[in-house]
């Protein structure tokens, strides 16, 4: 059965129209841009939204499969975006063609970065979810509440670059993503922002057609350090979780089994080393 896709004409009244699509890949300074959009009054759907609404993970995971079989944005994705007028970062950026087609009136912002810098940032942050052994065990076994999110991200990068995190395929996927966005969007509908440049309110507000906020500096957030610290904290949380849920119960199980199997030997050792010397001492 073919997944139904969303057409803007079918949007029920009273829902927030999608106004801004930020389709740059993660680690291209989307954090600062999202903060700026919030200052301007937008309500962007981001990775943070997904993390705080875990019920959406299954919907996005199903969308990954459905968009491989047919073009168009699944209706289920449109439903969870109805209270947002912007979208940025993962998982949305991986659905760039579908979002561009579904929301032809929305303006598009493509955040970019020099490939070598982007790869370094990804290697030290998001990609550790796929390259650190403990996260891989979590994804394969589901032994952590984080497993569904890691599986979704793994599926997204599977479509994006075949889960290759170094080499020519990774570079090709990076460049193809940006070229595809440029090809699908008219010049007047597209704003391209390089992460190395200093974006200002005048540029962003002029493109969006909104007033510049007075007395507010444009946000310049350092996303690499914060995310790396968060992932390391998550790694230690997983270690503690696995110890509590797997290691400690395993120790108890092994200890209990050993006591049952070697009960007679343990009793003999107890009598020989404890009971008999104690009786001889008391009989003196």
């Amino acid at each position: 059965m073919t997944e139904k896709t969303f057409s803007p004409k079918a949007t029920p009244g009273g829902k927030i129209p999608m106004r801004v699509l930020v389709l740059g890949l993660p680690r291209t300074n989307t954090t600062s841009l999202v903060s700026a959009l919030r200052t301007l009054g937008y309500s962007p759907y981001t990775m943070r939204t997904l993390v705080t609404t875990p019920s959406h993970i299954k919907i996005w995971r199903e969308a990954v499969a459905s968009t491989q079989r047919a073009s168009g944005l699944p209706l289920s994705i449109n439903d969870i975006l109805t209270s947002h007028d912007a979208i940025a970062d993962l998982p949305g950026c991986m659905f760039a063609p579908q979002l561009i087609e579904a929301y032809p009136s929305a303006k598009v912002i493509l955040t970019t970065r020099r490939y070598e810098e982007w790869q370094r940032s990804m290697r030290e942050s998001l990609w550790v979810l796929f390259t650190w052994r403990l996260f891989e065990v979590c994804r394969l076994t589901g032994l952590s509440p984080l497993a569904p999110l890691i599986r979704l991200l793994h599926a997204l990068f599977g479509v994006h670059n075949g889960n290759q995190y170094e080499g020519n395929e990774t570079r090709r996927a990076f460049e193809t993503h940006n070229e595809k966005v440029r090809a699908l969007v008219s010049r007047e509908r597209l704003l391209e922002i390089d992460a190395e440049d200093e974006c200002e309110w005048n540029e962003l507000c002029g493109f969006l057609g909104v007033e510049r906020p007075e007395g507010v500096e444009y946000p310049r957030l350092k996303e690499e350090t914060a995310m790396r610290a968060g992932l390391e904290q998550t790694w230690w949380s997983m270690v503690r979780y696995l110890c509590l849920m797997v290691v400690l119960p395993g120790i108890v199980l092994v200890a209990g089994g050993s006591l049952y199997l070697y009960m007679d030997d343990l009793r003999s050792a107890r009598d020989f080393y404890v009971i008999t010397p104690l009786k001889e001492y008391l009989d003196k």
Side-chain angles (χ1 to χ4, degrees):
M1 183 175 179
T2 303
E3 173 83 17
K4 292 183 178 180
T5 57
F6 167 68
S7 169
K9 297 178 181 179
T11 304
K15 296 181 179 180
I16 301 177
M18 182 62 67
R19 296 193 288 166
V20 181
L21 307 175
V22 180
L23 300 180
L25 290 169
R27 320 315 295 165
T28 55
N29 205 22
T30 53
T31 303
S32 295
L33 180 56
V34 166
S35 179
L37 289 174
R38 289 197 175 102
T39 300
L40 294 173
Y42 290 87
S43 176
Y45 187 104
T46 67
M47 184 74 168
R48 181 185 299 178
T49 314
L50 179 65
V51 171
T52 56
T53 318
S55 60
H56 288 183
I57 293 177
K58 181 180 179 182
I59 297 173
W60 284 105
R61 183 74 185 272
E62 291 172 350
V64 174
S66 67
T67 51
Q68 288 181 285
R69 297 192 300 267
S71 61
L73 187 70
L75 276 169
S76 55
I77 298 301
N78 174 61
D79 289 340
I80 65 176
L81 295 179
T82 53
S83 59
H84 300 272
D85 56 3
I87 185 169
D89 206 4
L90 291 169
C93 65
M94 294 300 191
F95 294 82
Q98 293 83 5
L99 289 169
I100 291 170
E101 179 184 359
Y103 303 110
S105 298
K107 297 199 172 182
V108 178
I109 300 176
L110 176 63
T111 51
T112 62
R113 192 173 190 178
R114 192 165 64 91
Y115 173 75
E116 289 75 15
E117 289 298 316
W118 178 81
Q119 179 182 251
R120 178 195 59 76
S121 179
M122 291 291 288
R123 188 192 302 123
E124 295 178 359
S125 58
L126 195 61
W127 282 347
V128 305
L129 290 172
F130 318 124
T131 57
W132 286 7
R133 187 61 55 84
L134 184 59
F135 287 128
E136 183 179 10
V137 171
C138 167
R139 176 178 63 83
L140 295 174
T141 63
L143 289 177
S144 166
L146 192 63
L149 177 61
I150 297 178
R151 287 170 176 168
L152 168 62
L153 297 177
H154 191 265
L156 288 171
F157 279 98
V159 175
H160 173 68
N161 62 10
N163 293 122
Q164 301 296 313
Y165 307 115
E166 299 286 346
N168 293 333
E169 180 62 22
T170 309
R171 177 187 283 271
R172 185 200 64 78
F174 172 85
E175 294 173 348
T176 298
H177 175 90
N178 293 337
E179 291 168 0
K180 187 178 296 184
V181 173
R182 295 183 186 112
L184 292 174
V185 182
S186 61
R187 182 172 296 274
E188 62 273 11
R189 188 185 165 199
L190 176 67
L191 173 65
E192 190 164 337
I193 301 175
D194 192 303
E196 307 303 323
D197 296 335
E198 294 289 324
C199 183
E200 297 290 348
W201 284 122
N202 288 342
E203 181 182 16
L204 179 61
C205 295
F207 172 71
L208 296 177
V210 298
E211 292 185 6
R212 171 179 174 163
E214 295 296 331
V216 180
E217 291 187 5
Y218 189 89
R220 307 197 185 282
L221 307 176
K222 299 297 182 181
E223 53 187 355
E224 282 88 351
T225 304
M227 187 171 188
R228 178 63 181 225
L231 287 168
E232 290 178 354
Q233 184 178 3
T234 300
W235 188 88
W236 282 110
S237 297
M238 287 179 60
V239 170
R240 291 192 295 269
Y241 178 86
L242 290 174
C243 287
L244 290 173
M245 299 301 293
V246 179
V247 177
L248 288 180
I251 292 173
V252 171
L253 182 62
V254 170
S258 299
L259 285 173
Y260 178 78
L261 292 173
Y262 300 103
M263 183 61 70
D264 291 340
D265 294 335
L266 290 171
R267 285 174 177 167
S268 297
R270 179 201 62 187
D271 293 342
F272 182 79
Y273 290 108
V274 179
I275 302 300
T276 300
L278 183 59
K279 288 180 66 176
E280 291 176 352
Y281 175 78
L282 294 176
D283 290 341
K284 290 181 179 179

